[in-house]
Amino acid sequence: MSQEVLSEYNSLRKLSDMRFPSEWFPEARQMQRKIYLHVGPTNSGKTYRAIQRLQSAESGIYCGPLRLLAHEIYDKMNQQGIQCNLLTGEERREVSPTAPLTSSTVEMANLAKPLEVAVLDEIQMISDPHRGWAWTQALLGLKAKEIHLCGEQSAVPLIKKLCESLGEQVIVNEYERLTPVALSSSSLNGNWKNVRKGDCVVAFSRNSIFDIKKKIEKETGLQCAVAYGGLPPESRSQQAKIFNDPTSPVKVLVASDAVGMGLNLNIKRVVFSTVQKFDGREFRYMHIPQLKQIAGRAGRFGTTYASGEVTTFFNKDLAYVDKCLESPIIPLELAGLQPTVDIVEVFALQMPNETYSSVLQKFEDLASLNGNYFLCNFKDQKRIAEVIESIKLPLRDRYQFVTAPVSTRNEETLNAVQEMAKIHSNNKVLELPELVQLPNSQMVDVGSLSYLETAHKKIMLYMWLR
């Protein structure tokens, strides 16, 4: 290796050094923040306690994993007469420029504003391979006197290690479940006739959900609501509302694993139609924490039911659910990181002739991290970078497009981001009706629903990039 090549290599290694991410936020390091960690199972009141503290704060922010949750806190605060603004990637609602509180999705958390209280919900997602960086960034960078972290007990050792490296003490508050939940002694024996009012049947694909809904309604005469990840948050919320309403004819919910987070549901019994799901390559058993979280939705405190049940459609799956419910907590080991636009920009300047996707690949190959962190998966970013590679854009604009919430498994949304990048590059204006043409006729079949879901994804992407 020549001296010139070695020098370039060492320079790139230095620029991709991410071993000390706490140093990215010097103003937060100058504060003596108090960190409170509220942990416990689903339905233990941990988030409720943190929100209570936020309500009494002179200034504060709620950071959640879903737009649905950000909306819920925004509505709750304003209904109680506490002014609260809303900030998500797709939407900004300003009740007042002087509102003391903001409810946001975690990626949109304002790290520049000094605050009294910050609530960071679902802290265990700090280890998520795709989005974990946003929780890490918020934990390291929020300029709040008090930070309340809410989530699963599995996060305790990792959060303690991270805060120890910051020189900040963590006060851990542990919570017990408010209502009991138990595994049923028998399954539905493979018969949808055994579905009862108050059941939530869990499946893992849209086609399965609608197929099960159709069978339940035919076999039992009970009407079903549906909830799954591809359904817009507003529609999921509406479906939850009609299921929860005791005067509604809808008595059963058929849902995907999206039911595990973000909806308050009046569920008596959770029924797993299967305990295996397709991960993009093969069918695998559900991860234990995920199954526990979904099972914990049964018999929530404050709903109609004082206790909850969990069962399966087939007898053969009961043993796996039992094993998961009885399994010990698996501690998280690493927190996600993602380079800031400033870091990527300086790194890219060393390779002016490389494509942006190649820059990302080299950064991923060379990045140095310490033992508490991992680099969040660049796979989706590299895919988007390839799609817009030929379009002339400043690096910072390219970074915005590449980090946009694009479903890379959907070719239509990839085409949409490419079209928007071209319009932006040519300094033109793209009106929403040019991007999405909605049909006039009422849509009822699953194929039409797929079209509408994709249209919604495009609209959300358009709003995020505005």
Side-chain angles (χ1 to χ4, degrees):
M1 185 182 293
S2 69
Q3 191 63 39
E4 184 180 347
V5 172
L6 182 61
S7 176
E8 181 184 355
Y9 173 80
N10 288 334
S11 175
L12 291 173
R13 283 300 302 264
K14 186 176 180 180
L15 292 171
S16 57
D17 188 343
M18 300 178 71
R19 290 175 297 166
F20 310 103
S22 61
E23 296 177 1
W24 301 352
F25 310 100
E27 292 182 22
R29 298 291 73 76
Q30 291 170 14
M31 300 176 66
Q32 194 58 45
R33 306 181 305 173
K34 290 184 179 179
I35 312 290
Y36 297 89
L37 182 54
H38 305 271
V39 294
T42 303
N43 191 27
S44 59
K46 55 187 181 293
T47 306
Y48 173 77
R49 290 290 183 89
I51 296 301
Q52 276 192 315
R53 176 65 187 95
L54 182 63
Q55 287 173 336
S56 64
E58 291 185 6
S59 61
I61 188 171
Y62 168 84
C63 306
L66 301 171
R67 193 157 54 93
L68 196 66
L69 285 171
H71 269 270
E72 184 180 307
I73 299 300
Y74 163 80
D75 288 335
K76 183 180 293 184
M77 293 298 182
N78 285 298
Q79 285 167 9
Q80 293 180 7
I82 303 169
Q83 288 189 328
C84 179
N85 294 331
L86 176 72
L87 180 62
T88 70
E90 300 82 6
E91 188 177 9
R92 181 190 296 267
R93 293 188 189 180
E94 191 174 86
V95 172
S96 167
T98 59
L101 303 184
T102 298
S103 182
S104 78
T105 43
V106 64
E107 286 88 349
M108 301 301 293
N110 185 347
L111 305 184
K113 187 177 179 180
L115 300 165
E116 183 184 2
V117 174
V119 174
L120 189 51
D121 206 359
E122 302 292 354
I123 187 60
Q124 72 278 359
M125 288 192 71
I126 199 168
S127 290
D128 184 84
H130 301 285
R131 297 179 64 201
W133 64 270
W135 277 262
T136 303
Q137 176 180 271
L139 174 60
L140 299 180
L142 280 165
K143 290 162 55 177
K145 294 177 183 177
E146 289 181 27
I147 299 181
H148 293 257
L149 313 173
C150 309
E152 298 173 6
Q153 203 161 16
S154 59
V156 173
L158 176 59
I159 297 301
K160 282 185 172 179
K161 279 198 292 184
L162 295 181
C163 290
E164 184 181 348
S165 72
L166 303 175
E168 294 176 326
Q169 185 183 1
V170 183
I171 299 167
V172 181
N173 297 316
E174 297 185 359
Y175 299 80
E176 298 294 328
R177 186 177 165 91
L178 297 172
T179 55
V181 63
L183 181 68
S184 298
S185 58
S186 61
S187 72
L188 300 194
N189 293 310
N191 192 337
W192 294 119
K193 286 183 179 179
N194 292 321
V195 167
R196 305 192 300 242
K197 293 178 181 179
D199 280 354
C200 172
V201 179
V202 180
F204 298 110
S205 74
R206 182 181 55 206
N207 287 345
S208 295
I209 286 168
F210 282 98
D211 182 51
I212 290 169
K213 175 182 185 292
K214 185 177 179 180
K215 288 176 179 176
I216 291 172
E217 291 180 339
K218 181 181 178 181
E219 296 290 335
T220 67
L222 297 170
Q223 292 186 40
C224 302
V226 296
Y228 55 96
L231 203 61
E234 298 83 358
S235 299
R236 268 184 278 167
S237 182
Q238 184 184 45
Q239 290 288 294
K241 191 174 292 184
I242 62 173
F243 171 69
N244 287 341
D245 184 355
T247 65
S248 166
V250 175
K251 300 300 181 184
V252 175
L253 178 66
V254 186
S256 71
D257 45 355
V259 77
M261 191 186 299
L263 292 170
N264 290 316
L265 296 162
N266 195 8
I267 297 169
K268 170 62 177 174
R269 183 174 66 169
V270 168
V271 180
F272 289 98
S273 66
T274 175
V275 292
Q276 296 188 49
K277 64 179 294 187
F278 189 67
D279 65 4
R281 290 178 298 181
E282 60 183 359
F283 282 94
R284 59 162 176 79
Y285 280 95
M286 293 177 67
H287 294 311
I288 292 172
Q290 183 188 34
L291 188 145
K292 279 184 168 182
Q293 187 174 37
I294 294 171
R297 307 301 285 183
R300 284 184 65 86
F301 181 76
T303 66
T304 304
Y305 307 110
S307 63
E309 296 177 53
V310 183
T311 191
T312 58
F313 185 60
F314 296 110
N315 277 325
K316 63 182 178 66
D317 292 330
L318 273 174
Y320 183 72
V321 174
D322 187 30
K323 174 187 171 183
C324 290
L325 295 179
E326 295 300 320
S327 66
I329 293 164
I330 304 169
L332 305 179
E333 296 181 356
L334 300 172
L337 276 183
Q338 179 172 281
T340 65
V341 62
D342 294 323
I343 293 172
V344 173
E345 185 174 43
V346 175
F347 187 83
L349 286 172
Q350 309 302 307
M351 300 174 287
N353 298 320
E354 292 283 352
T355 62
Y356 190 73
S357 57
S358 295
V359 168
L360 293 178
Q361 182 62 60
K362 289 193 175 180
F363 190 97
E364 190 175 17
D365 293 340
L366 296 173
S368 302
L369 299 100
N370 74 24
N372 295 326
Y373 299 99
F374 70 95
L375 191 64
C376 280
N377 197 337
F378 270 22
K379 183 178 177 182
D380 287 351
Q381 291 190 26
K382 287 183 289 187
R383 179 72 183 103
I384 301 166
E386 290 168 359
V387 168
I388 64 171
E389 205 71 75
S390 62
I391 302 167
K392 189 175 181 181
L393 291 167
L395 186 138
R396 284 180 174 263
D397 289 354
R398 195 175 295 277
Y399 180 92
Q400 288 299 112
F401 277 99
V402 164
T403 55
V406 179
S407 174
T408 56
R409 289 185 294 179
N410 187 312
E411 285 298 320
E412 286 193 52
T413 55
L414 282 174
N415 291 339
V417 77
Q418 184 181 53
E419 184 178 347
M420 284 186 260
K422 286 177 182 176
I423 294 290
H424 181 71
S425 174
N426 293 326
N427 201 28
K428 294 181 179 178
V429 175
L430 176 66
E431 299 292 344
L432 190 55
E434 299 173 51
L435 182 69
V436 179
Q437 280 88 40
L438 295 179
N440 295 322
S441 59
Q442 189 176 7
M443 306 258 185
V444 290
D445 59 65
V446 174
S448 300
L449 187 58
S450 176
Y451 175 88
L452 290 173
E453 287 170 6
T454 298
H456 183 267
K457 287 184 174 71
K458 291 180 183 179
I459 292 168
M460 292 300 101
L461 175 61
Y462 178 90
M463 293 175 69
W464 196 89
L465 288 167
R466 279 190 310 172

